[in-house]
Amino acid sequence: MSASASSDIAVPIDKHGHDEALGRAQPARSTAHKNYKGFVAGVFSGIAKLSVGHPFDTIKVRLQTSDKSQFRGPLQCLVQTIRNEGVRGLYKGATPPYIKTRLILGTWNSMLGSLTFYRRILNDNIFSGSYFQGVKPAPIEQAIATDRQLPTIGHGIAGIMAGWTVSFIAAPVEHVKARLQIQYAVNKRDRLYSGPIDCCKKILRTHGLKGLYRGLAATMLFRSFFFFWWGSYDIFTRLFSTHSTLSAPAVNFWAGGLSAQVFWITSYPSDVVKQRLMTDPLGGGLGDGKPRFNKWKDAAQEIWKTDGVRGFWRGFTPCFLRAFPANAVALVAFESVMRALPE
């Protein structure tokens, strides 16, 4: 899941389409124990997603932030990156400090936690009311007993709320990652930033916290499309659970992969705008050039003026190819670790 949302995977779903956030039937466990399992599973899930998806993400970002004179398409971008920078060039922005930051601070774990929290809040206070269910509000346990589930629109709304919440972690992380990914110099001495920590220090020193959070509004706009991710995940999960004989891990895999594709199809133009804004020179004492955009609307207008509609879809191919395997593998890793850890 940037991604850069970043961005992120589904909560465990059982064969009958119940998610753990809404109290899948199982023995009572302490909150600390559940948090421990979720954290460990989230770490392994994050490693799996980053290992599979980061090279695709690097190609995507480079295409999004360059013009056709530099790269004609994803294949040329891939070949030139490997030829000039080696395979390690595909993993720029994924250095150990960044991995540690991402996995522990966790846009990934934050997404899972906030999504679970908002699902429960919506289920308890909004979708359990008589207007939606024909019954009085009931606790989660009673909801499980009567096989009542959060409706698809509830999952979508929870996705939006979780996306906005996690944006405050994701925005600076994705900002730094994007700036590292577009450093083309082979020799480290010729690069403006030696790594993620150096990048953070220089931005904070010259532009303060506001500079580090450049692109926050664009990130929140992009992550508003989590409505389609989590809404479609619920739909696919119900369909596979009802109309197939797939096992629970297989349902997770296919629902997670397909819903990620739905998300990227709906959100991709906003991601292009976000990346253009985040990689735009900050100027001032940083000495990286003259800024072109003050806000995300300026970046969107520039893309439209220069390349029209096609400009909003530049780099879509590697993104689309990445979405299914990266998110599906991450989801399988999360589920596998959750099942393997002792109760």
Side-chain angles (χ1 to χ4, degrees):
M1 304 138 65
S2 340
S4 351
S6 274
S7 62
D8 307 345
I9 78 174
V11 172
I13 302 289
D14 69 8
K15 177 66 179 173
H16 303 289
H18 296 107
D19 65 60
E20 189 171 49
L22 296 183
R24 183 182 354 178
Q26 51 187 299
R29 293 170 293 176
S30 69
T31 300
H33 183 71
K34 287 190 285 186
N35 289 343
Y36 145 74
K37 289 187 65 176
F39 176 80
V40 174
V43 169
F44 279 93
S45 178
I47 292 173
K49 182 174 182 179
L50 187 140
S51 300
V52 173
H54 197 83
F56 290 91
D57 187 64
T58 297
I59 299 302
K60 172 184 77 74
V61 172
R62 291 189 167 191
L63 288 171
Q64 288 177 324
T65 56
S66 64
D67 55 39
K68 295 178 182 178
S69 64
Q70 187 171 1
F71 304 116
R72 290 193 301 272
L75 184 59
Q76 185 190 40
C77 182
L78 173 64
V79 171
Q80 285 193 17
T81 299
I82 295 177
R83 180 185 300 156
N84 297 331
E85 305 165 58
V87 175
R88 291 181 64 181
L90 297 174
Y91 283 91
K92 280 187 174 178
T95 51
Y98 169 72
I99 296 174
K100 181 178 180 181
T101 299
R102 180 151 190 168
L103 293 182
I104 296 181
L105 291 181
T107 56
W108 198 255
N109 293 331
S110 297
M111 164 55 71
L112 290 176
S114 58
L115 184 71
T116 298
F117 172 76
Y118 289 123
R119 278 174 167 172
R120 187 175 294 275
I121 291 295
L122 289 170
N123 194 77
D124 279 346
N125 301 287
I126 304 298
F127 293 98
S128 61
S130 59
Y131 180 82
F132 294 97
Q133 301 292 341
V135 296
K136 293 182 178 180
I140 292 294
E141 292 74 11
Q142 184 176 335
I144 297 166
T146 57
D147 199 34
R148 177 170 58 76
Q149 301 177 32
L150 188 68
T152 297
I153 191 173
H155 287 278
I157 295 172
I160 294 176
M161 298 169 74
W164 287 348
T165 300
V166 80
S167 290
F168 290 91
I169 296 175
V173 171
E174 293 179 0
H175 182 196
V176 170
K177 175 182 72 70
R179 292 196 179 275
L180 294 175
Q181 286 177 314
I182 63 167
Q183 293 193 126
Y184 295 95
V186 178
N187 193 324
K188 290 185 178 181
R189 290 177 296 180
D190 297 328
R191 300 173 189 170
L192 178 60
Y193 311 112
S194 60
I197 295 177
D198 181 56
C199 183
C200 287
K201 287 181 177 178
K202 287 181 177 177
I203 293 175
L204 286 171
R205 184 168 61 246
T206 56
H207 295 278
L209 196 61
K210 182 179 180 181
L212 189 62
Y213 269 88
R214 181 171 173 79
L216 175 61
T219 301
M220 295 181 73
L221 173 65
F222 166 67
R223 290 176 181 268
S224 296
F225 289 90
F226 279 10
F227 175 90
F228 297 100
W229 190 337
W230 300 111
S232 64
Y233 181 83
D234 179 63
I235 292 172
F236 285 128
T237 298
R238 292 172 191 263
L239 286 175
F240 288 134
S241 298
T242 305
H243 301 290
S244 76
T245 57
L246 294 174
S247 63
V251 169
N252 294 145
F253 180 90
W254 287 105
L258 291 173
S259 60
Q261 302 290 44
V262 171
F263 165 70
W264 279 110
I265 289 173
T266 55
S267 69
Y268 193 79
S270 66
D271 186 55
V272 175
V273 173
K274 174 173 69 75
Q275 297 295 352
R276 288 286 183 93
L277 183 62
M278 286 183 168
T279 56
D280 187 47
L282 289 169
L286 196 58
D288 60 342
K290 184 179 179 180
R292 294 175 297 165
F293 313 126
N294 290 321
K295 49 189 176 181
W296 69 267
K297 290 183 180 179
D298 298 330
Q301 290 172 354
E302 177 65 20
I303 295 170
W304 175 261
K305 181 180 178 180
T306 305
D307 298 308
V309 174
R310 295 185 65 179
F312 290 99
W313 295 94
R314 182 165 169 78
F316 180 71
T317 299
C319 173
F320 193 75
L321 293 176
R322 164 189 177 271
F324 190 103
N327 288 285
V329 166
L331 188 54
V332 170
F334 186 89
E335 282 287 304
S336 298
V337 174
M338 287 290 288
R339 293 189 181 97
L341 292 175
E343 293 295 332

